[in-house]
Amino acid sequence: MASKAVYSHRDPMLKKRDDFEDILEERRNSSDLRYALKCYTPVVYKGISPCKADALTNMVLQSSHLHYVISQVSKETGRAVDDVQDEASAILEEMAQRLQLSTIRFFAFTLSKVFKTLFRSICVNEEGIQRLQQAIQEHPVVLLPSHRSYMDFLLMSYLLYTYDLALPVIAAGMDFMGMKFVGEMLRMSGAFFIRRSFGGDKLYWAVFSEYVKTMLKNGYAPVEFFLEGTRSRTSKSLTPKLGLLNIVMDPFFKGEVFDMSLVPVSISYERILEESLYAREMLGVPKPKESTSGLFKARKVLSQNYGSIHVYFGQPVSLRSLAEGRVNRSQFSLVPRHIPKRPSEEIQNFVNDSAYMLVRAQEENMVLKPWVLLASLLLQNHHQSQAPGQKPGMALDELTERVVWLRDLSRQYGAFLHWPDHRAPSDVVSSSLSLHPGLVKISEGRVQLALELAGGDVGPKESRSADTTPEEELLSRAVIVLSCASYRNQALHVFLRPALLALAIHAAASTKKQEVFYSFSFLRNMFSNEFILVPGATVQDFEEACYLLVKTGALQITQQEVLVTERGHRTIVFLTSMLDPFLQGYQVVCRFLCEEATEELTEKQFIPSIRRFIIKHLLAGRLRYTEVLSSDLQKNALAALLRLGAVQKLKGVDQGTLKVNTVMVNSLEDTLGGKLPTQKVVVARL
Amino acid sequence: MGSTQALQEIMKWNGWGYSDSRFFFNKKGQAEFTGKRYKLSGLIIPALKDWFESTFGASLQHKTPPILNSSAVHPPTLNETFVEELKSTGIPFSHDAEDRVFRAHGHCLHEIFALREGKFGRVPDMVIWPNCHNDVVKVVELASKHNVCLIPYGGGTSVSSALECPPEETRSIVSLDTSQMNHILWIDEKNLTAHVEAGIVGQDLERLLNESGYCTGHEPDSMEFSSLGGWVATRASGMKKNIYGNIEDLVVHIKMVTPRGVIEKSCQGPRMSTGPDIHHFIMGSEGTLGVVTEVTMKIRPMPEYQKYGSVVFPNFEQGVACLREVARQRCAPASIRLMDNEQFKFGHALKPQVSSIFTSFLDGLKKFYITKFKGFDPNRLCVATLLFEGDRERVLQHEKQVYDIAAKFGGLAAGEDNGQRGYMLTFVIAYLRDLGMDYYVIGESFETSVPWDRVLDICQNVKERIVRECKDKGVQFPPLSTCRVTQTYDAGACVYFYFAFNYRGLSDPVHVYEQVEHAAREEILANGGSLSHHHGVGKLRKEWMRETVSSVGLGMLKSVKDFVDPNNIFGNRNLL
């Protein structure tokens, strides 16, 4: 394999990142009202053709693309053209944003108040802002923020307003529309609403895509959307959704714009507002439907401290340079450009790879707080100390020692860690812990997860009513564990590749490099719905993992062999423990499918049934990780099995029924458990 | 030797056109155009210096005069037995270095640049001047017999590296100069056709036909120097194709001499359904199959009336929309061209000194009216130039129709002068390149054809690509990157790009130039443009032939070549 020199350019230690400025500082020292009424004169795209929101809808309705689809729909359904045309107008009406500066000013004022109460600081990399400003003038811009909270898009518009940048139009899910007043407010702050599913609806797709493209091409405003499609409930990045990315890239492929800047934005919250909401949702307590009153109930969140937010505007990516040598744009010369066409395989692959690349870029610039490392350590400790006779929790100084070790390790892996180096580590630890009183508690100098009933030595918390079932207890503990896990997950992308390698070494039949690679490649493939793993980059990921582990002295790699060093043991144990819950979780999913999946198991029933199955196992003590209760993990595992063909979704009469290939699922489970050599499975799959 | 061999005597050997016609900056720093041949000849062009300096960041202080050195030509590789037999035919030939160098190049930038630097690559080993079809038959027979490489040469105006001798060619290379075959053999007034020898140069053909009251109406920008045979071999297009058609519409009959023998049709029927038209193997064959010797061409009575015109549009988008509408209504005048803003400014810079205060006052008034009163942004407006032809009444009617359409797109009639100057620019622009080259500025034009819905996007993207590539390649000054729509068709348009930059600070300007042109061509293809509308492929663009015509298409062309010329006697290696 390649020599060391090849790696040097991707040494994560060399990643250059910008500094942050706290924008709340100025808010605390000057009038919010004056700020909300300030003179706002953003720079715009040099090729802009200025138009009002109304003119925009007209342009969409008169586009040849829409005309074409309308007449097509009319022919297919026998409906009158006017009728279809009216439907198109109605769709557009329902969808369209009505960006108004006055609404933005209103939000600028109120959000200033809210942000100042909720957050200690909102930090922004101003160099990123400057780059963005440059990019906006040159080419149409697509803003791609990470999505962890409802706050994200208001926060984005707030920031752009603050920096006098062009306000974006934002693709938002239809669920917001349920909140009448809020929905309209959001619309007036630039949101446009898309139905969650419109699979076969040609007309809807045409209106939607034409609307987005028109705004983009004319330089009306930067277009903002979430690559992950929805808020990540786990704080892990979600595998990207490609629909909108396909749409925004289309004008470039068809030569309608010279280039386009794709700007990944990483928004990291020290504490997420929806933290326990997410955990409940994943445990099956249904998510409250977004309603205005619900939002007001959230007022109680206002009384808490949510730490700081870091927003990192990444390097704008030129779509043109991205597509250079990968996309042959002349493939669009043989059909009129307004006729919708399924993207070719070449285009699909390109869009998919770009999406992954952009999500990786988001991940890389996510700021990690010391708490994230603490949560990782406490979770591991929690699982290891479950054994009977163990004292729960960790001594504070032990925790401090471990977290300093982990700090250094994560930095070597290129983490964007915000660790206040000028303060004593013990200080950092205690102030980090104090921000999460609901998740951790310190008693008698020991730190542990705040699981009320765990370990028996319950604190002063009022005794639970006698009729609490063990199941309810389990779920309430699971809320805490899942919340903690969501913080650990923030750091997962840093450790992911080395951790997969650590697991692979563990699972491989021998220390032979080839076998370790097979094992790595199997695991990577297995988990590619769970984590952001760029398709087709197995070898690069393997090399990167090897490089990092060798560099930090945890591994020795010779021509033929991969060996864990004496001092590498600690690292390897940490890394494997990090992914162990996922490994176990996937095995449980397999076991469930083999043991319990009857002929009638439908996709709909999958989550409730597997949840029951897991609860049973957890209560019986056959399973260590409460985390496995996360519906996110269960869905991802199922998706992986579907992708690998171990489970099939039936079509036709039994639509949605899952057909399990027991032999294959069994062998996957055994391979995950290290009982079967991977090589065989890998080959079998190929 | 023949009369037009004298053309070589009156033409530049390392630049464009006639030796007596050139631009220069006089002692006062004003530009002047010398000679007596053109409308601009002998005039001072006061605005050119400022335009030149501000557009390119060039300075009259920094000069790069050509190096005159024709002694570096390699001695000829002669095929003695061929030469012996040729002598017995009495067909004139020469292996004089000057004759050979003159026919070793077209007018691509790299070709002219190399000549100015006194660098010569492979040049033909000898030049032959056949006098008629039968002479050509004899030469081709001899060449086939002795395995000599023949490169047909007409006017030498190629811009596709078509005349470059393949450096890998080891055989003796003979340039077959058709310039002596320049007679109109007959005119058929009943059928309105003329039978002409293919070596005739455009302006001579028109002049001679005009004497009998006829014209072909075929006026490519190079018509002063390019030849009928060259037009056929490259699928040429003329400025007035809207009335007269392109070369493929004009030819009725072609005679070509190939190593297999002579190819021609047996009759002169105006249209035939006899399988694929063999003329289409000949047209665009770029000298790879044989030499076109005689052509029967359509002729028309000379137009009774000609009128230039021009229209100013507030922006390029409106201008294109207007041209599209004109094409839709199929009422395009003999010529209609739309220049973008940069070219409009360029055209302005070429205004000769006005003699009367009154004219300059009028000019000022016009400018005031357009920019202040009509609110046109001088940095966005663009101009269309028009040429109407026909009988007077119909011209006037036609003119009104076109101006009415233009008005719908915000176009204002801007007078005959502006129109006429636009067309004059066509003929002098190549001279201007030589002036630029004296001052570190190099440039060239290239063209494409593209469907209507792509016109605006292709113009914008290619221009921007040029600017971007120049920057990336280290060009120190912003380039001139401009375009015009020069022809309209039912289903699309022909677009011409001009590109020039100041190369001070670059160690290998020609290489940079070629990289940028290459990138621009890639951009054209990515935007749905064609590889060429009328310049041809030559060797410059042949790397894109396969993707342009598909592998099967290329195979078809190859199999024709293999049958017609199995020993690659016509070995210029163009096209395939």
Side-chain angles (χ1 to χ4, degrees), chain B residues 127-140:
Chain B
V127 182
I128 304 183
W129 287 270
N131 278 301
C132 60
H133 172 77
N134 287 336
D135 280 359
V136 175
V137 173
K138 282 180 210 154
V139 171
V140 173

Side-chain angles (χ1 to χ4, degrees), chain A residues 91-230:
Chain A
I91 293 173
L92 195 54
E93 178 85 354
E94 175 194 87
M95 182 183 305
Q97 51 80 24
R98 279 193 293 277
L99 182 60
Q100 275 182 354
L101 191 54
S102 56
T103 315
I104 295 293
R105 292 193 191 279
F106 165 79
F107 273 119
F109 180 75
T110 47
L111 284 180
S112 294
K113 301 287 181 205
V114 173
F115 286 160
K116 281 188 285 189
T117 13
L118 285 177
F119 302 108
R120 202 179 325 118
S121 57
I122 298 178
C123 301
V124 180
N125 65 325
E126 295 196 335
E127 282 159 75
I129 293 284
Q130 280 157 21
R131 288 191 297 256
L132 176 60
Q133 182 172 22
Q134 196 67 38
I136 286 175
Q137 291 174 62
E138 289 295 315
H139 301 293
V141 165
V142 179
L143 291 167
L144 300 165
S146 58
H147 204 10
R148 303 287 174 269
S149 168
Y150 277 142
M151 296 277 299
D152 292 330
F153 87 71
L154 282 177
L155 177 64
M156 282 291 289
S157 298
Y158 182 86
L159 292 178
L160 297 177
Y161 172 80
T162 304
Y163 285 104
D164 235 15
L165 290 177
L167 292 166
V169 289
I170 309 115
M174 207 60 147
D175 21 3
F176 275 112
M177 289 273 290
M179 305 183 268
K180 282 189 200 87
F181 175 70
V182 174
E184 285 314 299
M185 285 296 282
L186 296 180
R187 200 190 275 282
M188 288 189 287
S189 57
F192 60 95
F193 297 101
I194 329 159
R195 296 180 191 158
R196 276 265 174 246
S197 57
F198 46 89
D201 192 341
K202 244 189 232 174
L203 186 64
Y204 192 88
W205 179 259
V207 173
F208 166 51
S209 57
E210 189 59 33
Y211 182 62
V212 174
K213 282 189 244 179
T214 306
M215 291 191 291
L216 197 67
K217 279 189 298 196
N218 293 332
Y220 177 84
V223 170
E224 174 180 317
F225 66 92
F226 300 104
L227 268 175
E228 296 165 286
T230 182

Side-chain angles (χ1 to χ4, degrees), chain A residues 45-46 138-139 253-259 318 320 324 328-330 332-333 335-337, chain B residues 451 453-455 457-458 460-462 464-466 468-469 522-523 525-529 547:
Chain A
Y45 172 46
K46 65 178 182 206
E138 289 295 315
H139 301 293
F253 294 147
K254 292 184 176 165
E256 294 166 334
V257 296
F258 181 76
D259 196 359
S318 147
R320 178 173 274 269
E324 173 84 54
N328 178 6
R329 286 179 289 151
S330 65
F332 295 96
S333 355
V335 176
R337 290 178 293 176
Chain B
D453 72 312
R454 292 272 199 169
V455 170
D457 290 331
I458 209 173
Q460 194 175 336
N461 289 344
V462 173
E464 183 148 0
R465 179 74 180 261
I466 289 170
R468 178 88 72 101
E469 291 288 333
E522 295 269 333
E523 192 63 32
L525 298 176
N527 282 273
E547 66 175 281

Side-chain angles (χ1 to χ4, degrees), chain B residues 140-171:
Chain B
V140 173
E141 270 171 11
L142 286 179
S144 300
K145 184 171 166 197
H146 299 288
N147 197 20
V148 163
C149 172
L150 291 179
I151 297 184
Y153 180 90
T157 56
S158 138
V159 281
S160 58
S161 304
L163 289 169
E164 254 175 44
C165 297
E168 66 271 32
E169 182 59 70
T170 51
R171 297 173 294 183

Side-chain angles (χ1 to χ4, degrees), chain A residues 32-86:
Chain A
D32 287 337
L33 192 61
R34 197 173 307 144
Y35 160 75
L37 296 175
K38 73 171 181 161
C39 165
Y40 167 76
T41 47
V43 295
V44 291
Y45 172 46
K46 65 178 182 206
I48 195 173
S49 27
C51 68
K52 292 248 164 57
D54 298 348
L56 207 62
T57 45
N58 277 335
M59 281 164 85
V60 174
L61 291 172
Q62 272 150 31
S63 67
S64 9
H65 174 203
L66 203 53
H67 273 295
Y68 178 84
V69 174
I70 285 173
S71 76
Q72 206 184 19
V73 169
S74 152
K75 263 181 220 146
E76 280 168 14
T77 60
R79 289 165 58 196
V81 170
D82 285 351
D83 191 29
V84 185
Q85 175 95 40
D86 288 347

